[in-house]
Amino acid sequence: MPDQTALTAMLPEHSLLAGIVVLICLEVLGRGSRPALWVSLLSIAAASVSAFWLASMQVTAEPFAGQFSVTPAILVAKGALLALAIPVVLMARSEFREGEFSLLLLSSLYGLCLLPSSMSYLVMFIGLELLAMPVYALVLLAYHRPESAEASFKYLVLSGAASATFLMGVSLLYGATGSMDVSTFAQALGSGDALTRTATVLVLLALFLKSAIVPFHAWAPDTYEGASIPVTAYMATLTKGAVLLAAVRLFGTVTVTGPLVGLLMALPLASIVFGNLAAIRQSSFRRMIAYSSIAHAGYLFYAFLGDPAARMRAVLFYVIAYSAANLLAFAVVPQNDRDEQRDALDNFRGLFHRDPAAALLIGIAMLSLAGLPPFPGFVGKFMIFRSVMAAGHVTYAVLGLVGSYLGMYFYLRVIARMFMGAGEAVATEQRAGALARTAGWICLAATMLLAALPGWVIGRL
């Protein structure tokens, strides 16, 4: 029976749940549109602050024995991801006037919070579904784009396939071990039994599908392009980060050895190379970011080859740096009456002459995503590749580094278009709204903090 511990240790989840209840009440009363933004902002901010506060108090608890637990590291991860959801809400104000967006986003964030705390496969599965199911509807909410229905359907089908694969793997693990504890996954990694090995591979493939790792990436470009910009930003950053944190939870502190090294090297490396090469050919900013996110998922899975003790810290820092830069770029993209024209890369030409602030912020985001020093993207990649090399996988680290150099071209191409192109006016273009720009400045502050004080931030993860 949950007691006071459950009330305290689950304050972030309770804050989100309170926000969901208030939003539902407002919808029933017919007052959902105007205050929805502030209710969702307050709910997310309260959840993030409470997570950081509990982490500072060194709270370690297991409010639901064998199902749900928190530690300071988990609370910091939740607090950081929830804080990054605030810019998403601000960006969405100009896109969604009704309250559905806020309600669906809070529901998805509730699933995000369950994943790093899950101790059983049951809670992890519920977390994955709660994370993904509201996003199907969020993609569909961009109904003024003809592609949104198709994009939502593709995400529904592929995400459903990932869930089925995850359930099959978990079923086989339960059959082999008789336990639903997530720690059985780490124990099974070293097993020579064919049934157990098949189960671990199926669970891993489900995570690859959710993260859009090659060759399970086909849904990502179409879905990202068919969604509205705030939803694309959310999918490319926080949902991907939550899945990686779930993977960290599954692997625990086990060192990856044997045939699994090849699987964790080959597919992420293919993602790095393919994602970066495919991004070069794109004419849409959203599709470019989609392929870029496929490459970044490859970098993140590389972290599992390295030091298990530093795995959580490396993945979390990379997710925060990558998410802040991505959200920064999306927040200040100029608005356009025609949504499909909003992020056409041709319209970025000469942006510096029309909107210098937007061009500068997008430029900073591109440099960080490219992994150039002194930006935090460089620190994130450095942590991962150093960890892989320290674990003895020098060849894999070098191949990954070579693949990452391919990604610099398309990021720098965006900068060249904005700063070196002629400043031709785009008739239907408008500056991003005040709230969206506020989101951009918040993300810039986070990016600058990570760039200026990376050691301080890493020491607190």
Side-chain angles (χ1 to χ4, degrees):
M1 189 75 176
D3 53 10
Q4 186 65 32
T5 307
L7 293 176
T8 307
M10 297 185 70
L11 267 179
E13 288 80 9
H14 293 329
S15 299
L16 293 175
L17 191 58
I20 291 170
V21 172
V22 172
L23 285 172
I24 291 174
C25 292
L26 290 172
E27 285 292 327
V28 171
L29 296 173
R31 299 176 180 175
S33 58
R34 188 178 292 270
L37 168 73
W38 303 111
V39 171
S40 55
L41 276 178
L42 283 174
S43 175
I44 294 170
S48 178
V49 170
S50 61
F52 283 126
W53 175 71
L54 290 171
S56 70
M57 301 293 288
Q58 296 295 307
V59 170
T60 300
E62 200 173 309
F64 294 92
Q67 302 294 330
F68 186 96
S69 68
V70 293
T71 64
I74 289 173
L75 288 165
V76 168
K78 287 184 188 181
L81 293 183
L82 288 169
L84 287 166
I86 292 175
V88 176
V89 178
L90 294 174
M91 290 161 57
R93 182 57 178 169
S94 60
E95 301 271 344
F96 303 102
R97 295 290 179 183
E98 303 299 327
E100 293 93 342
F101 176 85
S102 298
L103 189 55
L104 291 167
L105 182 67
L106 290 189
S107 304
S108 181
L109 288 174
Y110 195 93
L112 179 150
C113 286
L114 291 183
L115 288 175
S117 285
S118 52
M119 296 181 69
S120 76
Y121 295 116
L122 179 62
V123 175
M124 184 169 285
F125 179 72
I126 292 172
L128 285 170
E129 292 308 294
L130 269 178
L131 176 74
M133 291 181 74
V135 180
Y136 306 149
L138 285 174
V139 175
L140 195 58
L141 282 180
Y143 48 82
H144 50 285
R145 291 202 60 162
E147 304 93 341
S148 63
E150 180 185 345
S152 178
F153 183 70
K154 282 183 179 177
Y155 186 48
L156 169 68
V157 171
L158 271 298
S159 187
S163 300
T165 308
F166 181 82
L167 281 180
M168 176 61 77
V170 167
S171 302
L172 294 180
L173 272 176
Y174 181 72
T177 64
S179 172
M180 289 291 283
D181 195 307
V182 294
S183 62
T184 58
F185 181 83
Q187 297 163 10
L189 289 174
S191 172
D193 175 57
L195 179 65
T196 310
R197 202 175 271 186
T198 304
T200 56
V201 170
L202 284 173
V203 171
L204 200 52
L205 291 184
L207 297 176
F208 282 167
L209 238 170
K210 291 277 187 185
S211 310
I213 288 285
V214 171
F216 312 107
H217 64 284
W219 61 271
D222 292 342
T223 304
Y224 285 19
E225 189 179 28
S228 62
I229 277 190
V231 176
T232 302
Y234 177 66
M235 294 174 70
T237 55
L238 299 188
T239 60
K240 194 177 289 284
V243 172
L244 265 297
L245 290 178
V248 171
R249 182 76 178 178
L250 285 172
F251 276 76
T253 56
V254 70
T255 301
V256 176
T257 57
L260 197 60
V261 172
L263 184 63
L264 279 171
M265 185 280 294
L267 297 188
L269 179 61
S271 298
I272 293 170
V273 175
F274 175 80
N276 285 330
L277 288 177
I280 293 172
R281 301 180 53 199
Q282 304 308 314
S283 58
S284 156
F285 188 65
R286 263 175 278 199
R287 284 190 78 85
M288 190 193 86
I289 291 295
Y291 282 106
S292 158
S293 76
I294 292 170
H296 284 282
Y299 301 132
L300 282 163
F301 270 104
Y302 249 52
F304 290 84
L305 295 174
D307 179 15
R311 188 177 293 148
M312 177 72 169
R313 186 173 293 175
V315 169
L316 185 55
F317 184 89
Y318 197 100
V319 166
I320 295 172
Y322 164 74
S323 300
N326 243 330
L327 293 171
L328 170 59
F330 277 119
V332 294
V333 170
Q335 295 182 357
N336 196 304
D337 295 338
R338 297 178 61 191
D339 189 70
E340 66 275 16
Q341 289 297 317
R342 184 178 179 187
D343 63 341
L345 285 175
D346 282 342
N347 289 343
F348 280 47
R349 199 178 303 279
L351 180 62
F352 177 70
H353 303 288
R354 306 193 302 274
D355 190 347
L360 284 170
L361 294 181
I362 294 173
I364 291 171
M366 294 298 102
L367 292 173
S368 184
L369 289 172
L372 293 175
F375 296 97
F378 168 77
V379 180
K381 285 181 182 173
F382 176 78
M383 288 176 67
I384 286 178
F385 286 119
R386 184 186 64 173
S387 176
V388 173
M389 293 180 74
H393 306 300
V394 178
T395 305
Y396 301 152
V398 171
L399 290 173
L401 277 170
V402 172
S404 73
Y405 280 116
L406 298 173
M408 290 186 184
Y409 172 76
F410 59 87
Y411 292 124
L412 296 180
R413 185 183 60 165
V414 174
I415 294 174
R417 287 188 182 212
M418 292 190 300
F419 289 87
M420 300 175 71
E424 298 173 3
V426 178
T428 54
E429 183 180 281
Q430 303 166 5
R431 294 179 64 187
L435 287 177
R437 286 188 170 253
T438 303
W441 291 115
I442 292 173
C443 294
L444 177 67
T447 302
M448 291 298 102
L449 175 66
L450 294 171
L453 302 169
W456 181 82
V457 175
I458 291 167
R460 281 154 179 77
L461 297 180

